[in-house]
Amino acid sequence: MDDFVSDFEVFSVELPKSIMKFSPLQLGMFSLDENNDFSKVCYQPKLKKDINLPIDLNEGFKDWSPPKCNTSLDAFLSWIVVNKFCLDGVAVVTYRGILKKISVCPVDVYKNNWKLRIVKHKNVIFIDEIKLQDDDFNIFTYGGYRFEKEIVEDQEENLSEHIVITSKFDCYRCIYAAEIDAYDESGKIVEIKTHKVLKSQKDKDLFRRGKLLNTFLQCYLAGIPKCFFGFRDTNHHIQDTKMHTVDEVSHICRNDWSKDICINFLNRVLSWMLPQIDNSSNFYLTFSGSKNLRLSRGEKTDHIPKWFLSFLENS
């Protein structure tokens, strides 16, 4: 049983509506192979110039083997070791998806439950995710996979490519990894998504407040300038596509949410949470879709591999 440490009320504080310039910087790249192991191979898959519609997202679903779920930091830690990356001045090592989960809390319509595991070694804090339930690999999950396979060329079947980014949140320097989908013809990274066809005003409102918000934050946190959407009908056929820049998305959704409120919320949470983390225990940050983030303490585990701890001690 975890011991309670403190709560952070999601809606308790009036958040500033403007922030200092946010400037994510790419540090490097790596890939995960079919076993979720680190690979130095980076193939830079390209978004096709000509995409033939419609695309049947059902094709191949019955024979599909879902990918192995991986929330471990091990591959990212391998990149740090291989590149002899100096962690002096780095407060947090994590994944983009974790920062996105926190930042979206004040305005997210999905209100998904999640649990993060936090551990400190020397002066560095490592944050990964604990899955609360198995991923629901259904036709919608497969549809995103299938759409990407159809519109991306030069793609290696068993590799997923990641970039490593650094940025500062409040006074805390973070480095984090983010999986990427493809590059456009100018070499810019593009995030790829699917969504149902927008028929009604309600569909459009929910799209802006849900899918566009979460996609925007995924891109914004990683410095990804574009997102590409495929819109599926009720038969799971992609009937239309649309490319947006992140600036366009921010403008389209200006009356629904503010990126500055999201990033300021992330700043506030890190400033509340990180000073409470010490080297004696594992800590857990949980969100159950309610008004509170909860920080608790548990027995320290050895989930950070010994080979990395040895690197950390000697660097």
Side-chain angles (χ1 to χ4, degrees), residues 12 16 25 73 81 90 144 208 230 235 245 285 288-289:
S12 64
L25 174 68
L73 287 169
V81 172
V90 173
R208 293 196 311 274
N235 295 315
T245 68
L285 184 68
S288 58

Side-chain angles (χ1 to χ4, degrees), residues 117-128:
R117 177 172 53 185
I118 307 152
V119 65
K120 187 174 186 178
H121 290 284
K122 294 184 73 173
N123 294 317
V124 185
I125 291 171
F126 301 86
I127 309 175
D128 61 356

Side-chain angles (χ1 to χ4, degrees), residues 187-210:
K188 294 180 179 178
I189 301 173
V190 179
E191 188 80 22
I192 298 173
K193 298 291 183 183
T194 62
H195 196 271
K196 69 178 183 178
V197 171
L198 305 176
K199 294 183 178 180
S200 66
Q201 187 59 47
K202 182 179 179 181
D203 288 342
K204 294 175 183 178
D205 291 345
L206 288 175
F207 178 60
R208 293 196 311 274
R209 294 173 57 213

Side-chain angles (χ1 to χ4, degrees), residues 44-291:
Q44 296 191 322
K46 303 293 190 300
L47 189 67
K48 292 179 180 177
K49 293 181 181 178
D50 299 313
I51 298 172
N52 297 320
L53 300 178
I55 298 173
D56 183 359
L57 301 182
N58 302 287
E59 187 176 322
F61 176 56
K62 291 182 179 179
D63 300 320
W64 182 51
S65 297
K68 296 178 181 178
C69 176
N70 178 47
T71 60
S72 167
L73 287 169
D74 286 10
F76 186 15
L77 301 182
S78 293
W79 177 89
I80 293 173
V81 172
V82 166
N83 289 277
K84 297 182 173 61
F85 185 81
C86 179
L87 292 175
D88 290 348
V90 173
V92 174
V93 174
T94 189
Y95 283 115
R96 168 195 59 183
I98 285 172
L99 299 178
K100 195 269 291 183
K101 285 179 187 292
I102 298 172
S103 65
V104 80
C105 280
V107 290
D108 191 18
V109 296
Y110 298 140
K111 301 299 181 187
N112 292 322
N113 299 350
W114 46 258
K115 183 175 185 178
L116 308 180
R117 177 172 53 185
I118 307 152
V119 65
K120 187 174 186 178
H121 290 284
K122 294 184 73 173
N123 294 317
V124 185
I125 291 171
F126 301 86
I127 309 175
D128 61 356
E129 183 179 4
I130 294 178
K131 286 290 185 181
L132 298 178
Q133 60 186 23
D134 292 335
D135 288 320
D136 183 16
F137 290 113
N138 53 30
I139 186 61
F140 298 103
T141 308
Y142 176 75
Y145 167 85
R146 166 84 177 146
F147 180 54
E148 187 176 325
K149 292 296 181 186
E150 283 294 311
I151 67 172
V152 174
E153 57 190 4
D154 301 328
Q155 193 173 39
E156 290 292 329
E157 183 68 26
N158 297 318
L159 288 178
S160 60
E161 190 165 311
H162 294 66
I163 56 174
V164 178
I165 309 119
T166 183
S167 194
K168 204 169 189 180
F169 299 95
D170 196 23
C171 61
Y172 299 102
R173 173 67 60 185
C174 300
I175 64 167
Y176 45 102
E179 184 174 356
I180 61 172
D181 296 329
Y183 294 79
D184 68 10
E185 57 185 359
S186 67
K188 294 180 179 178
I189 301 173
V190 179
E191 188 80 22
I192 298 173
K193 298 291 183 183
T194 62
H195 196 271
K196 69 178 183 178
V197 171
L198 305 176
K199 294 183 178 180
S200 66
Q201 187 59 47
K202 182 179 179 181
D203 288 342
K204 294 175 183 178
D205 291 345
L206 288 175
F207 178 60
R208 293 196 311 274
R209 294 173 57 213
K211 192 78 169 192
L212 269 183
L213 166 62
N214 281 270
T215 302
F216 172 86
L217 286 171
Q218 276 187 283
C219 293
Y220 189 64
L221 286 166
I224 294 173
K226 295 181 179 181
C227 51
F228 186 74
F229 280 91
F231 293 94
R232 63 179 185 272
D233 61 20
T234 54
N235 295 315
H236 294 281
H237 293 176
I238 296 292
Q239 298 291 357
D240 192 18
T241 61
K242 178 72 173 178
M243 180 77 82
H244 285 295
T245 68
V246 292
D247 290 338
E248 288 171 350
V249 172
S250 183
H251 181 73
I252 291 168
C253 302
R254 64 193 181 279
N255 295 323
D256 299 287
W257 45 262
S258 162
K259 68 178 185 298
D260 293 341
I261 286 178
C262 294
I263 299 301
N264 271 314
F265 181 77
L266 176 58
N267 289 341
R268 292 286 186 90
V269 171
L270 293 178
S271 296
W272 158 74
M273 178 181 70
L274 297 184
Q276 301 183 72
I277 308 301
D278 58 40
N279 295 68
S280 66
S281 310
N282 278 6
F283 290 78
Y284 301 93
L285 184 68
T286 56
F287 182 62
S288 58
S290 64
K291 64 178 183 178

